[in-house]
Amino acid sequence: QVQLVESGGGLVQAGDSLRLSCAASGLTFSQYAMGWFRQAPGKEREFVASIRRSGSFTDYADSVKGRFTISRDNAKNTVYLQMNSLKPEDTAFYTCAARYWTSPSYAYWGQGTQVTVSS
């Protein structure tokens, strides 16, 4: 059974930093691209960042470029999202997801973690 478990969310002030973690189990982690998504109240879920299997290629939403960094540790089956210079508009429920490297879509999703940024 595949499980993705996020941690690291919380309440911070604008300008602060947070690091989210997503621990994966039940899959061969190195064969999956990983992504972070978020959903704010009243809005649709949106893409935040993704990372390929080896970590050699990353992609970011324009709204987080230069502030967020996605990384992974295949030895620990974990993907991270370092979030710096947080803004109130980053407030959302953050979820990680796993996509098999040959698949166009994410098959597995975590339960998410809340990030709240106060102004």
Side-chain angles (χ1 to χ4, degrees):
Q1 180 181 1
V2 175
Q3 283 193 313
L4 302 177
V5 180
E6 300 93 337
S7 61
L11 172 63
V12 297
Q13 293 186 333
D16 286 350
S17 298
L18 274 178
R19 188 176 81 154
L20 305 183
S21 299
C22 171
S25 60
L27 52 71
T28 304
F29 186 71
S30 61
Q31 294 183 354
Y32 285 78
M34 300 297 295
W36 285 97
F37 295 78
R38 67 185 182 185
Q39 186 168 18
K43 295 187 177 181
E44 293 188 353
R45 184 171 62 196
E46 65 175 358
F47 167 80
V48 176
S50 65
I51 187 166
R52 296 281 179 89
R53 293 181 296 162
S54 66
S56 59
F57 182 82
T58 57
D59 191 22
Y60 297 92
D62 288 343
S63 59
V64 306
K65 279 181 182 176
R67 300 188 298 121
F68 290 12
T69 302
I70 188 171
S71 62
R72 65 189 295 159
D73 185 338
N74 286 349
K76 295 182 178 180
N77 288 2
T78 301
V79 61
Y80 305 97
L81 186 68
Q82 178 67 42
M83 306 185 294
N84 298 330
S85 302
L86 283 161
K87 304 175 181 180
E89 50 264 43
D90 294 318
T91 295
F93 198 70
Y94 285 71
T95 306
C96 70
R99 175 178 65 79
Y100 190 68
W101 70 281
T102 59
S103 172
S105 59
Y106 288 87
Y108 303 108
W109 296 81
Q111 292 190 333
T113 186
Q114 178 68 38
V115 172
T116 303
V117 185
S118 64
S119 57

